[in-house]
Coordinates of all heavy atoms in Angstrom, one line a residue:
M1 N 87.5 237.8 210.0 CA 87.6 237.5 211.6 C 86.7 236.3 211.8 O 85.5 236.3 211.4 CB 87.2 238.7 212.4 CG 88.5 239.3 212.9 SD 88.6 240.4 214.3 CE 87.5 239.9 215.5
K2 N 87.1 235.4 212.6 CA 86.3 234.2 212.9 C 85.4 234.7 214.1 O 86.0 235.2 215.1 CB 87.2 233.1 213.3 CG 86.7 231.8 212.6 CD 87.7 230.6 212.7 CE 87.4 229.9 214.0 NZ 88.5 228.8 214.2
K3 N 84.2 234.4 214.0 CA 83.3 234.7 215.0 C 82.9 233.4 215.9 O 82.4 232.4 215.5 CB 82.0 235.2 214.4 CG 81.6 236.5 215.2 CD 80.3 237.1 214.6 CE 79.6 237.9 215.8 NZ 78.2 238.1 215.3
E4 N 83.5 233.5 217.1 CA 83.3 232.3 218.0 C 82.0 232.5 218.8 O 81.4 233.6 219.1 CB 84.4 232.3 219.2 CG 85.8 232.1 218.6 CD 86.0 230.7 218.2 OE1 85.3 229.9 218.8 OE2 86.9 230.4 217.4
P5 N 81.2 231.4 218.9 CA 80.0 231.5 219.6 C 80.3 231.8 221.1 O 81.1 231.4 221.8 CB 79.3 230.1 219.5 CG 80.5 229.1 219.3 CD 81.5 230.0 218.5
G6 N 79.4 232.8 221.5 CA 79.7 233.3 222.9 C 79.5 232.2 223.9 O 78.9 231.2 223.7
P7 N 79.9 232.4 225.1 CA 79.9 231.4 226.2 C 78.3 231.3 226.6 O 77.5 232.2 226.5 CB 80.6 231.9 227.4 CG 80.7 233.4 227.1 CD 80.7 233.6 225.6
G8 N 77.9 230.1 226.8 CA 76.5 229.8 227.2 C 75.7 229.3 226.1 O 74.6 228.9 226.2
F9 N 76.2 229.4 224.9 CA 75.4 228.9 223.7 C 75.5 227.5 223.5 O 74.7 226.9 223.1 CB 75.8 229.8 222.4 CG 75.3 231.0 222.4 CD1 76.0 232.3 222.5 CD2 73.9 231.3 222.1 CE1 75.6 233.5 222.4 CE2 73.4 232.6 222.1 CZ 74.3 233.7 222.1
R10 N 76.7 227.0 223.9 CA 76.9 225.5 223.8 C 77.0 224.9 225.1 O 77.7 225.4 225.9 CB 78.1 225.3 222.8 CG 77.8 225.5 221.4 CD 79.1 225.1 220.7 NE 79.3 223.6 220.9 CZ 79.9 222.9 219.9 NH1 80.1 223.5 218.8 NH2 80.1 221.6 220.1
K11 N 76.3 223.8 225.4 CA 76.6 223.0 226.6 C 77.8 222.4 226.5 O 78.2 221.7 225.5 CB 75.4 222.0 226.6 CG 74.0 222.5 227.3 CD 74.1 221.9 228.8 CE 72.9 222.4 229.5 NZ 73.2 222.8 230.9
K12 N 78.5 222.5 227.6 CA 79.9 221.8 227.7 C 79.6 220.4 228.2 O 78.8 220.1 229.1 CB 80.8 222.6 228.6 CG 81.9 223.2 227.7 CD 82.9 224.0 228.7 CE 83.8 223.0 229.5 NZ 84.5 223.8 230.6
Q13 N 80.4 219.5 227.6 CA 80.3 218.0 228.1 C 81.2 217.9 229.2 O 82.5 218.3 229.3 CB 80.7 216.9 227.0 CG 80.7 215.6 227.5 CD 80.5 214.7 226.4 OE1 80.9 214.9 225.3 NE2 80.3 213.4 226.7
I14 N 80.7 217.5 230.4 CA 81.6 217.2 231.6 C 82.1 215.8 231.6 O 81.5 214.9 231.2 CB 80.7 217.5 233.0 CG1 80.1 218.8 232.9 CG2 81.5 217.2 234.1 CD1 79.0 219.0 234.0
E15 N 83.4 215.8 231.9 CA 84.0 214.4 231.9 C 83.6 213.7 233.1 O 83.7 214.2 234.3 CB 85.6 214.7 232.1 CG 86.4 213.5 231.5 CD 86.2 213.2 230.0 OE1 86.2 214.2 229.2 OE2 86.1 212.0 229.8
L16 N 83.1 212.6 232.8 CA 82.4 211.7 233.9 C 83.2 210.5 234.2 O 83.9 210.0 233.3 CB 81.0 211.3 233.6 CG 80.0 212.5 233.5 CD1 78.7 212.0 233.0 CD2 79.9 213.3 234.7
E17 N 83.2 210.0 235.4 CA 83.8 208.7 235.6 C 82.8 207.9 236.5 O 82.1 208.5 237.3 CB 85.2 208.9 236.3 CG 85.2 209.6 237.6 CD 86.6 209.7 238.3 OE1 87.4 209.7 237.5 OE2 86.6 209.6 239.6
P18 N 83.0 206.6 236.5 CA 82.1 205.7 237.2 C 82.2 206.1 238.8 O 83.3 206.3 239.4 CB 82.6 204.3 237.0 CG 83.3 204.2 235.8 CD 83.8 205.7 235.7
C19 N 81.2 206.2 239.5 CA 81.0 206.5 241.0 C 81.7 205.4 241.7 O 81.5 204.2 241.6 CB 79.5 206.5 241.3 SG 79.3 206.7 243.2
P20 N 82.8 205.9 242.5 CA 83.6 205.0 243.3 C 82.8 204.2 244.5 O 83.2 203.2 244.9 CB 84.7 205.9 243.9 CG 84.2 207.1 243.9 CD 83.1 207.3 242.8
I21 N 81.7 204.9 244.8 CA 80.9 204.2 245.9 C 80.1 203.1 245.4 O 80.2 202.0 246.1 CB 80.0 205.4 246.6 CG1 80.7 206.6 246.9 CG2 79.3 204.8 247.8 CD1 81.9 206.4 247.9
C22 N 79.3 203.3 244.3 CA 78.5 202.1 243.9 C 79.1 201.4 242.7 O 78.6 200.6 242.2 CB 77.2 202.6 243.5 SG 77.2 203.8 242.2
K23 N 80.4 201.8 242.3 CA 81.3 201.2 241.3 C 80.4 201.4 240.0 O 80.5 200.6 239.1 CB 81.5 199.7 241.5 CG 82.1 199.4 242.8 CD 83.7 199.4 242.8 CE 84.2 198.9 244.1 NZ 84.0 199.9 245.2
G24 N 79.8 202.5 239.8 CA 79.0 202.9 238.5 C 77.8 202.1 238.3 O 77.1 202.2 237.2
K25 N 77.3 201.3 239.4 CA 76.1 200.7 239.3 C 74.8 201.4 239.5 O 73.7 200.9 239.3 CB 76.1 199.4 240.2 CG 77.1 198.2 239.8 CD 76.8 197.0 240.6 CE 77.6 195.8 240.1 NZ 78.9 195.9 240.9
A26 N 74.9 202.5 240.1 CA 73.8 203.5 240.4 C 73.1 203.1 241.6 O 72.3 203.8 242.1 CB 73.0 203.8 239.1
V27 N 73.2 201.8 242.0 CA 72.4 201.4 243.1 C 73.3 200.8 244.2 O 74.5 200.3 243.9 CB 71.3 200.4 242.7 CG1 70.2 201.1 242.0 CG2 72.0 199.2 241.9
M28 N 72.9 200.8 245.4 CA 73.6 200.1 246.5 C 72.7 199.0 247.0 O 71.6 199.2 247.1 CB 73.8 201.1 247.6 CG 74.7 202.5 247.2 SD 76.4 201.9 247.2 CE 76.8 201.9 248.8
K29 N 73.5 198.0 247.4 CA 72.7 196.9 248.0 C 72.3 197.3 249.5 O 73.1 197.5 250.3 CB 73.6 195.6 248.1 CG 73.5 194.7 246.9 CD 73.1 193.3 247.4 CE 72.9 192.4 246.2 NZ 72.1 192.7 245.1
G30 N 71.0 197.3 249.6 CA 70.4 197.5 250.9 C 70.3 196.2 251.6 O 70.7 195.1 251.1
V31 N 69.6 196.1 252.7 CA 69.4 194.9 253.5 C 68.4 194.0 252.7 O 68.7 192.8 252.5 CB 69.0 195.1 254.9 CG1 68.9 193.8 255.7 CG2 69.9 196.1 255.6
F32 N 67.3 194.7 252.2 CA 66.2 193.8 251.5 C 66.2 194.1 250.1 O 65.8 193.3 249.3 CB 65.0 194.0 252.3 CG 64.9 193.7 253.7 CD1 64.8 194.7 254.7 CD2 65.0 192.3 254.2 CE1 64.8 194.2 256.0 CE2 65.0 192.0 255.4 CZ 64.9 192.9 256.4
Y33 N 66.6 195.3 249.7 CA 66.5 195.8 248.3 C 67.6 196.7 247.9 O 68.2 197.2 248.8 CB 65.1 196.3 248.0 CG 64.6 197.2 248.9 CD1 64.9 198.5 248.9 CD2 63.7 196.7 250.0 CE1 64.5 199.4 249.8 CE2 63.2 197.8 251.0 CZ 63.6 199.1 250.9 OH 63.1 199.9 251.8
E34 N 67.7 197.0 246.7 CA 68.8 197.9 246.2 C 68.2 199.3 246.3 O 67.0 199.6 246.1 CB 69.2 197.6 244.8 CG 69.8 196.2 244.7 CD 70.3 196.0 243.3 OE1 69.6 196.3 242.3 OE2 71.6 195.5 243.2
L35 N 69.1 200.2 246.8 CA 68.7 201.7 246.9 C 69.6 202.5 245.8 O 70.6 202.1 245.5 CB 69.1 202.2 248.3 CG 68.4 201.4 249.5 CD1 69.2 201.5 250.7 CD2 67.0 201.9 249.6
A36 N 68.9 203.5 245.5 CA 69.6 204.4 244.6 C 70.9 204.9 245.4 O 70.7 205.4 246.5 CB 68.7 205.6 244.1
C37 N 72.0 205.0 244.7 CA 73.2 205.5 245.3 C 73.2 207.0 245.6 O 73.0 207.8 244.6 CB 74.5 205.1 244.5 SG 76.0 205.9 245.2
A38 N 73.4 207.4 246.7 CA 73.2 208.9 247.0 C 74.5 209.6 246.7 O 74.4 210.9 246.4 CB 73.0 209.1 248.5
D39 N 75.6 209.0 246.4 CA 76.8 209.7 246.1 C 77.0 210.1 244.7 O 77.8 210.8 244.3 CB 78.0 208.8 246.6 CG 78.2 208.7 248.0 OD1 78.9 209.6 248.6 OD2 77.5 207.9 248.7
C40 N 76.1 209.5 243.9 CA 76.0 209.9 242.4 C 74.7 210.3 241.9 O 74.6 210.2 240.8 CB 76.7 208.7 241.6 SG 75.9 207.1 241.8
N41 N 73.7 210.6 242.8 CA 72.3 210.8 242.4 C 71.7 209.7 241.7 O 70.8 209.8 240.9 CB 72.4 212.1 241.5 CG 71.6 213.2 242.0 OD1 70.8 213.0 242.9 ND2 72.0 214.5 241.7
G42 N 72.2 208.5 242.0 CA 71.5 207.4 241.3 C 71.9 207.2 239.9 O 71.2 206.6 239.2
S43 N 73.0 207.9 239.5 CA 73.3 207.8 238.0 C 74.5 206.9 237.7 O 74.7 206.3 236.6 CB 73.7 209.2 237.5 OG 74.9 209.5 238.2
G44 N 75.3 206.5 238.8 CA 76.4 205.7 238.6 C 77.6 206.6 238.1 O 78.7 206.0 237.9
W45 N 77.5 207.8 237.9 CA 78.7 208.7 237.3 C 78.9 209.8 238.3 O 78.0 210.4 238.9 CB 78.2 209.2 235.8 CG 78.0 208.1 234.9 CD1 76.8 207.7 234.6 CD2 79.0 207.5 234.2 NE1 77.0 206.6 233.6 CE2 78.4 206.6 233.3 CE3 80.4 207.6 234.2 CZ2 79.1 205.6 232.5 CZ3 81.1 206.7 233.2 CH2 80.4 205.8 232.5
V46 N 80.1 210.2 238.4 CA 80.4 211.4 239.2 C 81.3 212.2 238.2 O 82.0 211.7 237.2 CB 81.1 211.2 240.5 CG1 80.1 210.6 241.4 CG2 82.3 210.2 240.3
I47 N 81.8 213.4 238.5 CA 82.6 214.4 237.7 C 83.9 213.8 237.9 O 84.4 213.6 239.1 CB 82.5 215.8 238.2 CG1 81.0 216.3 237.9 CG2 83.5 216.7 237.4 CD1 80.7 217.6 238.5
A48 N 84.5 213.5 236.8 CA 86.0 213.0 236.8 C 87.0 214.0 237.5 O 86.8 215.1 237.5 CB 86.4 212.8 235.3
G49 N 87.7 213.4 238.3 CA 88.7 214.2 239.1 C 88.0 214.7 240.4 O 88.7 214.1 241.4
S50 N 87.1 215.5 240.5 CA 86.7 216.0 241.7 C 85.6 215.0 242.5 O 85.5 215.2 243.6 CB 85.8 217.3 241.5 OG 84.7 217.0 240.6
K51 N 85.2 214.1 241.7 CA 84.2 213.0 242.2 C 83.0 213.6 242.8 O 82.4 213.3 243.7 CB 84.9 212.2 243.4 CG 86.2 211.5 243.0 CD 86.0 210.0 243.0 CE 87.5 209.3 242.8 NZ 88.1 209.7 241.6
L52 N 82.7 214.9 242.2 CA 81.4 215.7 242.7 C 80.2 215.0 242.0 O 80.3 214.4 240.9 CB 81.5 217.0 242.4 CG 82.5 217.8 243.2 CD1 82.7 219.3 242.7 CD2 82.0 218.0 244.7
V53 N 79.0 215.2 242.8 CA 77.8 214.7 242.1 C 77.3 215.7 241.1 O 77.4 216.9 241.2 CB 76.7 214.6 243.3 CG1 75.4 214.1 242.7 CG2 77.2 213.6 244.3
V54 N 76.9 215.2 240.0 CA 76.2 216.1 239.0 C 74.8 216.4 239.4 O 74.2 215.4 239.7 CB 76.3 215.3 237.5 CG1 75.9 216.5 236.5 CG2 77.7 214.8 237.3
S55 N 74.4 217.6 239.3 CA 73.0 218.0 239.6 C 72.1 217.2 238.6 O 72.4 217.0 237.6 CB 72.7 219.4 239.5 OG 72.8 219.8 238.1
T56 N 70.8 216.9 239.1 CA 69.9 216.3 238.3 C 69.6 216.9 237.0 O 69.6 216.1 235.9 CB 68.6 216.0 239.1 OG1 68.9 215.7 240.4 CG2 67.7 215.0 238.5
D57 N 69.5 218.2 236.9 CA 69.2 218.9 235.7 C 70.3 218.6 234.7 O 70.1 218.4 233.5 CB 69.2 220.4 236.0 CG 67.8 220.9 236.4 OD1 66.9 219.8 236.7 OD2 67.6 222.0 236.7
E58 N 71.7 218.8 235.2 CA 72.8 218.7 234.3 C 73.0 217.2 234.0 O 73.4 217.0 232.8 CB 74.0 219.2 235.1 CG 75.3 219.5 234.3 CD 75.2 220.5 233.2 OE1 74.4 221.5 233.6 OE2 75.7 220.2 232.2
L59 N 72.6 216.3 234.9 CA 72.8 215.0 234.8 C 72.1 214.4 233.4 O 72.6 213.7 232.7 CB 72.4 214.1 236.0 CG 72.9 212.8 236.0 CD1 74.3 212.8 236.2 CD2 72.4 212.2 237.4
V60 N 70.9 214.7 233.2 CA 70.1 214.4 232.1 C 70.8 214.7 230.8 O 71.0 213.9 229.9 CB 68.7 215.1 232.0 CG1 67.9 214.7 230.9 CG2 68.0 214.8 233.4
T61 N 71.4 215.9 230.7 CA 72.1 216.4 229.4 C 73.4 215.6 229.4 O 73.7 215.2 228.2 CB 72.3 217.9 229.5 OG1 71.2 218.6 229.8 CG2 72.9 218.4 228.2
Q62 N 74.0 215.5 230.5 CA 75.4 214.8 230.3 C 75.3 213.3 230.1 O 76.0 212.8 229.3 CB 76.0 215.0 231.7 CG 76.5 216.4 232.0 CD 77.4 217.0 231.0 OE1 78.2 216.3 230.4 NE2 77.2 218.3 230.7
L63 N 74.2 212.7 230.6 CA 74.0 211.3 230.2 C 73.6 211.1 228.7 O 73.9 210.2 228.2 CB 72.9 210.7 231.2 CG 73.5 210.5 232.6 CD1 72.3 209.8 233.5 CD2 74.6 209.5 232.6
S64 N 72.8 212.1 228.3 CA 72.4 212.1 226.9 C 73.6 212.2 226.0 O 73.8 211.4 225.1 CB 71.4 213.4 226.6 OG 71.2 213.3 225.2
F65 N 74.6 213.2 226.4 CA 75.9 213.3 225.6 C 76.6 211.9 225.7 O 77.0 211.4 224.6 CB 76.7 214.3 226.2 CG 76.4 215.8 226.0 CD1 76.8 216.7 226.9 CD2 75.7 216.0 224.8 CE1 76.4 218.0 226.6 CE2 75.3 217.4 224.6 CZ 75.6 218.3 225.5
K66 N 76.6 211.3 226.8 CA 77.2 209.9 226.9 C 76.7 209.0 226.0 O 77.3 208.2 225.3 CB 77.4 209.5 228.3 CG 78.8 209.8 229.0 CD 78.9 208.9 230.3 CE 80.2 208.5 230.5 NZ 81.4 209.0 229.7
L67 N 75.4 208.8 226.1 CA 74.6 208.0 225.4 C 74.9 208.2 223.8 O 75.0 207.2 223.0 CB 73.2 208.0 225.7 CG 72.1 206.9 225.1 CD1 72.7 205.5 225.6 CD2 70.8 207.2 225.5
Q68 N 74.8 209.4 223.4 CA 74.9 209.7 222.0 C 76.4 209.3 221.5 O 76.5 208.7 220.5 CB 74.8 211.2 221.7 CG 73.4 211.8 221.8 CD 73.2 213.1 221.8 OE1 73.9 213.9 221.0 NE2 72.6 213.8 222.7
Q69 N 77.3 209.5 222.4 CA 78.6 209.2 222.1 C 78.8 207.6 222.0 O 79.4 207.0 221.1 CB 79.5 209.6 223.3 CG 81.1 209.6 223.0 CD 81.9 210.1 224.1 OE1 81.3 210.7 225.0 NE2 83.2 209.7 224.1
A70 N 78.1 206.9 222.9 CA 78.2 205.5 222.9 C 77.4 205.0 221.7 O 78.0 203.9 221.0 CB 77.4 204.9 224.1
Q71 N 76.3 205.5 221.3 CA 75.7 205.1 220.0 C 76.4 205.2 218.8 O 76.5 204.4 217.9 CB 74.3 205.8 220.0 CG 73.3 205.3 220.9 CD 71.9 206.0 220.8 OE1 71.9 207.2 220.6 NE2 70.9 205.2 220.8
R72 N 77.2 206.6 218.8 CA 78.2 206.7 217.6 C 79.2 205.6 217.6 O 79.5 205.1 216.4 CB 78.7 208.1 217.8 CG 78.0 209.2 217.1 CD 78.8 210.4 217.0 NE 79.3 211.0 218.1 CZ 78.6 211.9 219.0 NH1 77.4 212.2 218.5 NH2 79.1 212.3 220.1
E73 N 79.7 205.2 218.7 CA 80.8 204.2 218.7 C 80.3 202.9 218.4 O 80.9 202.3 217.5 CB 81.4 204.1 220.2 CG 82.4 205.1 220.5 CD 82.7 205.3 222.0 OE1 82.6 204.4 222.6 OE2 83.3 206.4 222.3
I74 N 79.1 202.6 218.8 CA 78.5 201.3 218.5 C 78.1 201.3 216.9 O 78.6 200.3 216.3 CB 77.2 201.0 219.2 CG1 77.4 200.8 220.6 CG2 76.2 199.9 218.6 CD1 76.2 200.9 221.5
A75 N 77.7 202.3 216.3 CA 77.5 202.4 214.9 C 78.7 202.3 214.1 O 78.8 201.7 213.1 CB 76.8 203.9 214.6
A76 N 79.8 203.0 214.6 CA 81.2 202.9 214.0 C 81.6 201.5 213.9 O 82.1 200.9 213.0 CB 82.1 203.9 214.6
L77 N 81.5 200.8 215.2 CA 82.0 199.4 215.3 C 81.1 198.4 214.4 O 81.7 197.6 213.8 CB 81.7 198.9 216.7 CG 82.9 199.5 217.6 CD1 82.5 199.0 219.0 CD2 84.3 198.7 217.4
K78 N 79.9 198.7 214.3 CA 78.9 197.9 213.4 C 79.3 198.0 212.0 O 79.4 197.1 211.3 CB 77.4 198.3 213.7 CG 76.8 197.6 214.7 CD 75.3 197.8 214.7 CE 74.6 197.2 215.9 NZ 73.4 197.7 216.2
S79 N 79.6 199.2 211.5 CA 79.9 199.4 210.2 C 81.2 198.9 209.8 O 81.7 198.5 208.7 CB 79.9 200.9 209.8 OG 81.0 201.7 210.3
Q80 N 82.1 198.9 210.8 CA 83.5 198.3 210.7 C 83.3 196.8 210.5 O 84.0 196.2 209.6 CB 84.3 198.4 212.0 CG 85.5 199.4 211.7 CD 86.2 199.7 213.0 OE1 86.5 198.7 213.8 NE2 86.5 200.8 213.4
M81 N 82.4 196.2 211.2 CA 82.1 194.7 211.2 C 81.6 194.4 209.8 O 81.9 193.4 209.2 CB 81.3 194.2 212.4 CG 82.1 193.8 213.6 SD 81.2 193.9 215.1 CE 79.7 192.8 214.7
V82 N 80.6 195.2 209.4 CA 80.1 194.9 208.1 C 81.0 195.0 207.1 O 81.0 194.2 206.1 CB 78.9 195.9 207.9 CG1 78.3 195.9 206.4 CG2 77.8 195.7 208.8
G83 N 82.0 196.0 207.1 CA 83.0 196.2 206.1 C 83.8 194.9 206.0 O 84.2 194.5 204.9
R84 N 84.3 194.4 207.2 CA 85.1 193.3 207.2 C 84.4 192.1 206.7 O 85.0 191.3 205.9 CB 85.5 193.0 208.7 CG 86.9 192.8 208.8 CD 87.4 192.8 210.3 NE 87.8 194.2 210.7 CZ 87.9 194.4 212.0 NH1 87.4 193.6 212.9 NH2 88.3 195.6 212.5
Q85 N 83.1 192.0 207.0 CA 82.4 190.7 206.5 C 82.4 190.8 205.0 O 82.6 189.7 204.4 CB 80.9 190.9 207.2 CG 80.1 189.7 206.8 CD 80.4 188.3 207.5 OE1 81.1 188.5 208.5 NE2 80.1 187.3 206.9
S86 N 82.0 192.0 204.3 CA 81.8 192.0 202.9 C 83.2 191.8 202.2 O 83.2 191.2 201.2 CB 81.2 193.2 202.5 OG 82.0 194.3 202.8
Q87 N 84.3 192.2 202.9 CA 85.7 191.9 202.3 C 85.9 190.4 202.3 O 86.5 189.9 201.3 CB 86.5 192.6 203.1 CG 87.7 193.1 202.5 CD 88.7 193.9 203.4 OE1 88.7 193.8 204.5 NE2 89.5 194.7 202.8
Y88 N 85.5 189.8 203.5 CA 85.8 188.4 203.6 C 85.0 187.6 202.5 O 85.5 186.6 201.8 CB 85.3 187.9 205.0 CG 85.4 186.5 205.3 CD1 86.8 185.9 205.6 CD2 84.4 185.5 205.3 CE1 86.9 184.6 205.7 CE2 84.6 184.3 205.7 CZ 85.7 183.7 205.8 OH 85.9 182.4 206.2
E89 N 83.8 188.0 202.3 CA 82.9 187.2 201.3 C 83.5 187.5 199.9 O 83.4 186.6 199.1 CB 81.5 187.9 201.4 CG 80.6 187.1 202.4 CD 79.3 187.9 202.8 OE1 78.9 188.9 202.0 OE2 78.7 187.6 203.8
K90 N 84.0 188.6 199.6 CA 84.6 188.9 198.3 C 85.8 188.0 198.1 O 85.9 187.4 197.0 CB 85.1 190.4 198.2 CG 84.8 191.1 196.8 CD 85.3 192.6 196.8 CE 84.4 193.5 197.5 NZ 85.0 194.8 197.7
L91 N 86.5 187.9 199.2 CA 87.8 187.0 199.0 C 87.3 185.5 198.7 O 87.9 184.8 198.0 CB 88.7 187.2 200.3 CG 89.4 188.4 200.4 CD1 90.2 188.5 201.8 CD2 90.5 188.6 199.4
N92 N 86.2 185.2 199.5 CA 85.8 183.8 199.3 C 85.3 183.6 198.0 O 85.4 182.5 197.3 CB 84.6 183.6 200.3 CG 85.1 182.7 201.4 OD1 86.0 182.3 201.6 ND2 84.0 182.3 202.3
R93 N 84.6 184.6 197.4 CA 84.0 184.5 196.0 C 85.2 184.3 195.1 O 85.1 183.4 194.1 CB 83.2 185.5 195.7 CG 81.7 185.4 195.9 CD 80.9 186.3 195.0 NE 81.0 187.7 195.4 CZ 80.5 188.3 196.6 NH1 79.7 187.6 197.3 NH2 80.7 189.5 197.0
L94 N 86.2 185.2 195.2 CA 87.3 185.1 194.3 C 88.0 183.7 194.3 O 88.5 183.1 193.3 CB 88.5 186.0 194.7 CG 88.2 187.5 194.2 CD1 89.2 188.4 194.7 CD2 88.0 187.7 192.8
G95 N 88.0 183.1 195.5 CA 88.6 181.8 195.7 C 87.8 180.7 195.2 O 88.4 179.6 194.9
A96 N 86.5 180.9 195.1 CA 85.6 179.7 194.9 C 85.8 179.1 193.4 O 85.8 177.9 193.2 CB 84.2 180.1 195.1
G97 N 85.9 180.1 192.5 CA 85.9 179.6 191.1 C 87.3 179.0 190.7 O 87.3 178.0 190.1
G98 N 88.2 179.6 191.2 CA 89.6 179.1 190.8 C 90.5 179.0 192.0 O 91.2 180.0 192.4
T99 N 90.5 177.9 192.6 CA 91.5 177.6 193.8 C 92.8 177.6 193.2 O 93.0 177.2 192.1 CB 91.1 176.5 194.5 OG1 90.5 175.6 193.7 CG2 90.1 176.8 195.8
N100 N 93.8 178.0 194.1 CA 95.2 178.0 193.6 C 95.4 178.8 192.5 O 96.4 178.6 191.5 CB 95.7 176.5 193.3 CG 95.4 175.7 194.4 OD1 95.6 176.0 195.7 ND2 95.2 174.4 194.2
Y101 N 94.7 180.0 192.3 CA 94.8 180.9 191.3 C 96.1 181.7 191.5 O 96.1 182.4 192.5 CB 93.6 181.8 191.1 CG 93.7 182.9 190.2 CD1 93.8 182.6 188.8 CD2 93.9 184.3 190.5 CE1 93.9 183.7 187.9 CE2 94.0 185.3 189.7 CZ 94.0 185.0 188.3 OH 94.1 185.8 187.4
T102 N 97.1 181.7 190.7 CA 98.4 182.2 190.9 C 98.5 183.5 190.2 O 99.4 184.4 190.4 CB 99.6 181.4 190.6 OG1 99.4 180.8 189.3 CG2 99.7 180.2 191.6
G103 N 97.7 183.8 189.2 CA 97.6 185.0 188.5 C 98.4 185.0 187.1 O 98.5 185.9 186.4
D104 N 98.9 183.9 186.6 CA 99.6 183.9 185.4 C 98.8 183.2 184.2 O 97.6 182.8 184.6 CB 101.1 183.2 185.4 CG 100.9 181.8 186.0 OD1 99.8 181.2 186.0 OD2 102.0 181.2 186.1
Ligands
ZN1 ZN1 77.1 205.9 243.1

């Protein structure tokens, strides 16, 4: 039998979307200076669909999830770029010694 972890053991990631009021900028242009946007708790994010404000406690965790996800994506993109770069260099090296190498 598979044992599932009970509810409450794992934090659930809430789907977030950019705040429609401040357009995800987290601040609103005041007359003299920028103010933290009240509609998203100054985070720039609201709960997707319901557009509800995430509580400050929950927000810290949710933003951390989002940041970790973004960092993973950046790392994946970087390794992809490195992979492409080394492939390109390999092709260049092959071509350097014998241009027009046809293989016979
Ligand atoms: Zn906002």
Side-chain angles (χ1 to χ4, degrees):
M1 263 206 30
K2 227 168 85 183
K3 232 181 146 191
E4 297 283 336
F9 282 109
R10 283 184 63 143
K11 271 258 180 221
K12 248 180 73 189
Q13 183 163 9
I14 301 171
E15 202 64 48
L16 299 173
E17 62 179 31
C19 169
I21 307 300
C22 63
K23 310 267 188 291
K25 287 196 177 83
V27 287
M28 297 284 283
K29 267 240 180 305
V31 184
F32 299 112
Y33 45 83
E34 289 182 323
L35 301 159
C37 174
D39 288 270
C40 59
N41 240 335
S43 70
W45 297 97
V46 291
I47 298 169
S50 66
K51 308 241 189 308
L52 286 171
V53 181
V54 188
S55 72
T56 316
D57 280 4
E58 191 64 34
L59 199 57
V60 176
T61 311
Q62 292 304 323
L63 287 180
S64 174
F65 283 155
K66 253 200 154 2
L67 188 60
Q68 289 171 49
Q69 198 184 334
Q71 283 180 317
R72 271 196 299 273
E73 278 169 21
I74 291 166
L77 282 173
K78 271 188 183 163
S79 70
Q80 245 176 51
M81 266 157 60
V82 168
R84 228 171 268 159
Q85 184 72 26
S86 64
Q87 207 174 26
Y88 179 77
E89 277 165 10
K90 216 182 283 170
L91 286 173
N92 251 9
R93 263 200 300 278
L94 283 176
T99 33
N100 302 327
Y101 176 68
T102 52
D104 62 6

